[in-house]
Amino acid sequence: MVLAVFSVTLVVLGPRILGRATDIVFEGLLADGIDFGRLHRTLGLALAVYVGSYLLGYLQAFLLAGVVQRTMFRLRRDVETKIHALPLSYVDQNSRGDLLSRVTNDIDNISQSLQQSLSQLLTSVLTIIGVLVMMFDVSILLALIALAVIPISLFATKSIAKRSRAKFMAQWSKTGQVNGIIEETFTGHAIVKAFGQQADVEARFATTNQDLYEAADGAQFMSGSIQPVMMFLGNLNYVAIAVIGGMRVTAGALTLGDIQAFAQYSRQFTVPLTTTASMFNVLQSGVASAERVFELLDATEQSPDQGEAPAEPTRGDVRFENVSFSYSPERPLISDLSFEARPGETVAIVGPTGAGKTTLVNLLMRFYELDGGRIVLDGRDIAAIPRSALRSQIGMVLQDTWLFNGTIRENIAFGNPQATNEQILAAAKATYVDRFVHSLPDGYDTVLDGEGAAVSAGEKQLLTIARAFLADPAILILDEATSSVDTRTEVLIQKAMSALRRDRTSFVIAHRLSTIRDATVILVMENGAIVEQGSHDELLARQGTYHRLYQSQFVAPTDNLD
């Protein structure tokens, strides 16, 4: 700001100095000759003023770039921190493509808007003030004429900016929707092809793309209309000053140098007005993006951690005591649910889709908070245990595999970054990853992309199991962990899982009932409630819900028609 003040001061002094040079030439032509020494000194002063203004402006731009980029660095850091502080429900309820657009496109747009507008707005406002001072110094009458354009300019700018802001908000919202469709389509590209839904996807994209086009077209049109309006007003003002100024020179009230300086000031006055108006529209785009980013930053965070991490190693004694939970108040899912998993036990959870099986383990992981009741780990309410400490004791293998860009070795080590190479190899051998890794060109150094294209779906599942094996958790959660492997591999995985589950509490969600026959206790869920529990043999003997599920999988359909 200080540099801008001095830079603008030098800029507005320039026309006054050049006006003096014009007077020296004009006076010399009317007299015996031009005083070239005085003229050279005046022109030298003008040159020094403009060079100094340029250097100060350059340094100002350099500092501003650093300020804006540091601000954007902190904003990206705050958004990243915020995302980790948000509850899982927020991510589940919002389009991931739109969230990605807020973190990337919107922050980039804020950066560009600030970079373009801050410097120009500051310089323009200071220029308007400085030029007005110099204009009043030259001629009060002409300065008042020049001032007449300001209220008209402000009215035009306000009217256009009010309309353009809504357009820019729509533009960036539609940009997020387009990104969401692209992210979904590319992620499920094979599924789209397999079901022949290209035409439907293209139609959805075309509709959203058309909406984006209309919103962006309207925003850019409204933004672009301000400049010709301001140029028109500036030209009218310039004509009025030229006519009245010429009359004042003829009357002897002003010198030729004065009117030349004032003409330059008139141009200097209308240009920053036009720039200011244009920058307000650039700011509207930035404000629209900022609102989307701040909406994310203002989102309600998950409740803060309370208490301290357990001082002793986790034994794995888990109790659900009168637990109640629903994703939405109008649709209760789990009500007054209670059961206990003792240390070292394997608890299998079965039931139809939507019964609440995965919800149970999500509650144990504190991905969601309870509506009522409590979950107790080793005699302590998990709500009083920091989430990071709780989750560090739980290993999880999901049905949906997740691998990141990196080597096979790095993906396995994700379960325990401090693990040695020998421990990684031991985990790989125990989970039969070692069998297929040696068939790859680079072995454990084979680089996988985010989709794990170099390995099959079953092999990706094995990698995630190896990751959990390496973590060596006190509690293990297996959510359909063998759903993507063939029958032979499933047998091998079951052996590995038996070794992995030994001496630790395990929760196994399974649709294949053959994989849970050796479970200590089987919980049968329907509509968020436990309708049966017991061992495999006990539940079969009861001829209840579990028996029907088992029959549907292992008895020929002709024997079950009734």
Side-chain angles (χ1 to χ4, degrees), residues 268-491:
Q268 283 188 341
F269 185 66
T270 55
V271 168
L273 277 179
T274 304
T275 301
T276 302
S278 299
M279 287 304 102
F280 269 115
N281 279 283
V282 172
L283 276 179
Q284 293 306 312
S285 176
V287 167
S289 288
E291 286 181 351
R292 285 168 48 79
V293 174
F294 293 146
E295 182 182 17
L296 174 62
L297 290 174
D298 292 339
T300 303
E301 298 182 3
Q302 60 189 7
S303 57
D305 283 329
Q306 299 177 356
E308 299 178 353
E312 299 178 356
T314 301
R315 293 183 294 110
D317 186 359
V318 179
R319 293 201 315 275
F320 281 65
E321 298 179 352
N322 308 113
V323 169
S324 298
F325 174 78
S326 64
Y327 290 103
S328 59
E330 62 274 8
R331 295 184 61 188
L333 178 59
I334 296 176
S335 299
D336 199 31
L337 183 144
S338 300
F339 72 89
E340 181 177 4
R342 296 182 178 85
E345 288 187 345
T346 295
V347 177
I349 307 171
V350 301
T353 301
K357 304 184 296 297
T358 300
T359 300
L360 283 186
V361 297
N362 284 340
L363 295 177
L364 177 59
M365 294 287 289
R366 288 191 67 190
F367 289 154
Y368 294 88
E369 297 299 330
L370 304 179
D371 295 334
R374 65 174 188 161
I375 300 174
V376 178
L377 174 62
D378 294 347
R380 185 176 177 185
D381 191 336
I382 63 170
I385 302 175
R387 291 180 179 87
S388 58
L390 172 68
R391 293 167 186 167
S392 68
Q393 299 298 318
I394 303 175
M396 202 169 189
V397 180
L398 302 175
Q399 181 177 2
D400 296 327
T401 57
W402 178 79
L403 301 174
F404 58 87
N405 288 311
T407 65
I408 289 178
R409 190 189 314 276
E410 291 168 341
N411 270 277
I412 296 175
F414 192 80
N416 181 7
Q418 285 74 43
T420 64
N421 191 56
E422 290 74 18
Q423 290 173 318
I424 295 173
L425 291 177
K429 291 177 180 178
T431 54
Y432 304 97
V433 168
D434 191 66
R435 291 194 315 155
F436 71 83
V437 167
H438 290 298
S439 65
L440 299 173
D442 297 318
Y444 285 93
D445 294 319
T446 300
V447 177
L448 305 176
D449 61 18
E451 298 298 320
V455 294
S456 69
E459 290 168 344
K460 286 192 289 184
Q461 191 69 277
L462 290 172
L463 285 170
T464 62
I465 294 171
R467 179 189 296 165
F469 196 103
L470 185 64
D472 192 25
I475 299 173
L476 184 65
I477 295 174
L478 304 174
D479 188 352
E480 281 296 310
T482 61
S483 61
S484 298
V485 298
D486 58 82
T487 305
R488 182 173 179 272
T489 305
E490 181 182 343
V491 173

Side-chain angles (χ1 to χ4, degrees), residues 137-395:
D137 181 61
V138 174
S139 171
I140 295 177
L141 176 62
L142 294 180
L144 292 174
I145 294 172
L147 281 176
V149 77
I150 290 183
I152 303 175
S153 301
L154 290 176
F155 176 77
T157 301
K158 183 179 179 180
S159 299
I160 295 174
K162 184 178 180 180
R163 291 176 173 83
S164 65
R165 181 173 178 178
K167 295 288 186 180
F168 278 118
M169 191 67 184
Q171 174 187 345
W172 292 109
S173 177
K174 295 299 180 183
T175 300
Q177 292 180 25
V178 168
N179 284 347
I181 292 176
I182 292 173
E183 192 264 344
E184 291 173 359
T185 304
F186 285 177
T187 301
H189 191 64
I191 302 299
V192 172
K193 292 283 188 181
F195 284 91
Q197 294 297 315
Q198 299 96 316
D200 181 66
V201 170
E202 289 174 5
R204 286 176 54 213
F205 178 81
T207 300
T208 309
N209 193 32
Q210 178 68 25
D211 293 341
L212 174 58
Y213 159 72
E214 293 174 359
D217 182 59
Q220 298 305 321
F221 172 76
M222 296 299 296
S223 176
S225 64
I226 191 68
Q227 189 164 1
V229 171
M230 297 301 297
M231 289 180 63
F232 174 72
L233 293 175
N235 286 332
L236 287 181
N237 185 60
Y238 190 75
V239 171
I241 288 172
V243 173
I244 297 175
M247 295 171 61
R248 299 289 290 171
V249 171
T250 304
L254 292 174
T255 67
L256 186 61
D258 287 338
I259 197 61
Q260 178 206 347
F262 202 97
Q264 292 186 61
Y265 284 133
S266 175
R267 282 302 187 194
Q268 283 188 341
F269 185 66
T270 55
V271 168
L273 277 179
T274 304
T275 301
T276 302
S278 299
M279 287 304 102
F280 269 115
N281 279 283
V282 172
L283 276 179
Q284 293 306 312
S285 176
V287 167
S289 288
E291 286 181 351
R292 285 168 48 79
V293 174
F294 293 146
E295 182 182 17
L296 174 62
L297 290 174
D298 292 339
T300 303
E301 298 182 3
Q302 60 189 7
S303 57
D305 283 329
Q306 299 177 356
E308 299 178 353
E312 299 178 356
T314 301
R315 293 183 294 110
D317 186 359
V318 179
R319 293 201 315 275
F320 281 65
E321 298 179 352
N322 308 113
V323 169
S324 298
F325 174 78
S326 64
Y327 290 103
S328 59
E330 62 274 8
R331 295 184 61 188
L333 178 59
I334 296 176
S335 299
D336 199 31
L337 183 144
S338 300
F339 72 89
E340 181 177 4
R342 296 182 178 85
E345 288 187 345
T346 295
V347 177
I349 307 171
V350 301
T353 301
K357 304 184 296 297
T358 300
T359 300
L360 283 186
V361 297
N362 284 340
L363 295 177
L364 177 59
M365 294 287 289
R366 288 191 67 190
F367 289 154
Y368 294 88
E369 297 299 330
L370 304 179
D371 295 334
R374 65 174 188 161
I375 300 174
V376 178
L377 174 62
D378 294 347
R380 185 176 177 185
D381 191 336
I382 63 170
I385 302 175
R387 291 180 179 87
S388 58
L390 172 68
R391 293 167 186 167
S392 68
Q393 299 298 318
I394 303 175

